[in-house]
Amino acid sequence: MIQSLILAIYPLLKSGFGLSFGQIGLITLTYQLTASLLQPMVGMAADRRPMPYSLPVGMGFTLCGLLLLADASAFSTLLLAAALVGTGSSVFHPESSRVARAASGGRLGLAQSLFQVGGNAGASLGPLLAAWIIVPHGRGSVAWFALAALLALAVLVRVGRWYRDHQITRRALAVAPVVGLPRGKVAGAIAVLVLLVFSKYFYLASISSYYTFYLIHTFGVSVQNAQTHLFVFLFAVAAGSLIGGPVGDRIGRKRVIWVSILGVAPFTLLLPHASLFWTGVLSVAIGLVLSSAFSAILVYAQELIPGRVGMVSGLFFGLAFGMGGIGAAVLGRLADTHGIDYVYHLCAWLPLMGLITVFLPDPGGRAGQDRGRSDRMVR
């Protein structure tokens, strides 16, 4: 929720600081890069030695960024605030993904989906809260959300204590079956997953960062109306992220990846040509289908490289944030030079990259085998 406030108040920042689309993209790039570059390193460190209290530390960085954002007086300060929020995310995600996996009872996809739906549901609330609170009361009201960050700190201290007291070891967390694929084949599969993450998050950047501007420019809606549309899209993303994991547990993760990435292409290709009503309908379909992929991709990668939960989680969460940040910066520049409509026509083709899913191997192990093995090891 806190992170999405940055995206939700972009129209206020653009008018208040006289920013270009390129500068808006630079804010997103700063947040996303700091949220991505540290994550694999934090994950590798956590694989060697669990760090249960990294969770509240990460939230502390986010709290500092939030307070700085509320009081920023220059563009450079906005960038620093975004960097602090991104650093908080980088510290938080690898270890929290390990905790979710440890508490999964063997239903790995469901656990990752539940973990991610918390973030996505919170992200969907950001635009709505911005429309209700920040737009009427000004950017300074962002500081009120520090209360939510303090509550999160208290909760995460308790989660960290549970993690510490249960002495979750690296062996107990390595619940995926050993896949036995050659190293070259594993590396190729990881490369395919990286490209799929690129496709997914580059497209999501076009909506999360610029959807409000697109609606205002194309249909002449108000800022509050545009933010409500963004909330609906992000809520659909949250719902889709909840669906992908348990469906992957049941029918296989590769099938979910196929449907999620490639299956969204008809909707993205139609979006730039739709009326306001159908734009809303298509954005919901896009959010539901496209967001179901990430938990399946993450657990699939964890099965390819068993025993490296922190590293894999950090790598793919980092890629998700990094691709989103690069996408926002590149697309912001394109919006400045070619117009916001051009961005949506161009990005509509990205989901066709889902065709490369055909190169993913079967990592082995049925969902039922995963559950049985992990239940025994965790107990």
Side-chain angles (χ1 to χ4, degrees):
M1 180 188 71
I2 293 169
Q3 292 164 359
S4 72
L5 287 176
I6 297 176
L7 302 177
I9 64 172
Y10 276 173
L12 291 181
L13 297 179
K14 190 174 189 299
S15 59
F17 288 85
L19 305 180
S20 67
F21 282 118
Q23 288 175 306
I24 291 291
L26 188 58
I27 294 173
T28 304
L29 177 64
T30 301
Y31 159 67
Q32 301 284 33
L33 284 183
T34 53
S36 64
L37 294 179
L38 292 176
Q39 289 208 43
M41 292 182 285
V42 173
M44 286 188 287
D47 283 335
R48 295 185 178 92
R49 182 180 180 181
M51 298 181 291
Y53 291 107
S54 65
L55 308 181
V57 169
M59 184 58 66
F61 277 107
T62 300
L63 172 61
C64 293
L66 179 71
L67 294 174
L68 191 60
L69 177 65
D71 196 46
S73 58
F75 178 65
S76 58
T77 310
L78 292 178
L79 293 180
L80 178 59
L84 285 171
V85 174
T87 301
S89 177
S90 208
V91 173
F92 172 81
H93 277 102
E95 197 71 311
S96 58
S97 183
R98 289 166 58 87
V99 174
R101 187 177 176 92
S104 69
R107 302 182 68 182
L108 306 180
L110 175 62
Q112 288 298 328
S113 285
L114 287 173
F115 169 52
Q116 289 166 222
V117 80
N120 289 334
S124 72
L125 289 176
L128 205 59
L129 293 171
W132 289 349
I133 297 174
I134 300 174
V135 171
H137 297 94
R139 183 168 51 86
S141 60
V142 169
W144 297 352
F145 294 93
L147 296 174
L150 290 171
L151 175 62
L153 274 168
V155 171
L156 290 173
V157 167
R158 292 181 62 86
V159 173
R161 190 177 298 130
W162 175 87
Y163 186 27
R164 180 202 64 193
D165 292 345
H166 282 71
Q167 297 179 343
I168 306 298
T169 65
R170 175 178 164 184
R171 172 175 168 79
L173 285 170
V175 297
V178 177
V179 298
L181 292 175
R183 181 173 296 182
K185 201 165 188 178
V186 170
I190 294 295
V192 170
L193 294 176
V194 168
L195 289 173
L196 292 174
V197 169
F198 161 80
S199 168
K200 169 181 164 63
Y201 282 94
F202 225 81
Y203 184 82
L204 284 178
S206 72
I207 296 189
S208 59
S209 292
Y210 301 110
Y211 191 42
T212 52
F213 297 112
Y214 174 74
L215 294 174
I216 292 168
H217 168 76
T218 306
F219 303 109
V221 301
S222 66
V223 172
Q224 280 109 330
N225 192 315
Q227 286 172 331
T228 301
H229 276 79
L230 181 58
F231 159 74
V232 172
F233 167 75
L234 293 175
F235 187 83
V237 169
S241 67
L242 181 61
I243 294 168
V247 172
D249 285 338
R250 189 170 295 271
I251 70 171
R253 317 204 195 283
K254 187 174 177 179
R255 292 179 182 176
V256 172
I257 296 169
W258 263 116
V259 172
S260 178
I261 304 293
L262 187 60
V264 80
F267 305 120
T268 62
L269 290 169
L270 285 172
L271 183 69
H273 310 284
S275 65
L276 177 61
F277 171 78
W278 285 108
T279 294
V281 172
L282 290 170
S283 69
V284 169
I286 291 168
L288 282 170
V289 177
L290 191 57
S291 63
S292 64
F294 189 71
S295 58
I297 289 174
L298 183 59
V299 177
Y300 184 100
Q302 290 170 348
E303 291 172 348
L304 286 172
I305 314 176
R308 292 288 185 266
V309 176
M311 184 195 73
V312 171
S313 299
L315 173 64
F316 279 89
F317 276 110
L319 278 170
F321 287 113
M323 288 300 102
I326 294 170
V330 171
L331 297 176
R333 184 63 178 168
L334 286 174
D336 281 334
T337 56
H338 294 82
I340 197 72
D341 293 327
Y342 177 81
V343 167
Y344 280 84
H345 281 85
L346 180 66
C347 290
W349 299 93
L350 283 172
L352 293 179
M353 287 183 66
L355 289 168
I356 64 174
T357 304
V358 71
F359 297 110
L360 288 178
D362 182 356
R366 297 187 302 269
Q369 292 173 330
D370 292 356
R371 286 194 292 271
R373 180 182 175 95
S374 57
D375 279 340
R376 290 194 299 272
M377 294 186 75
V378 170
R379 284 198 295 267

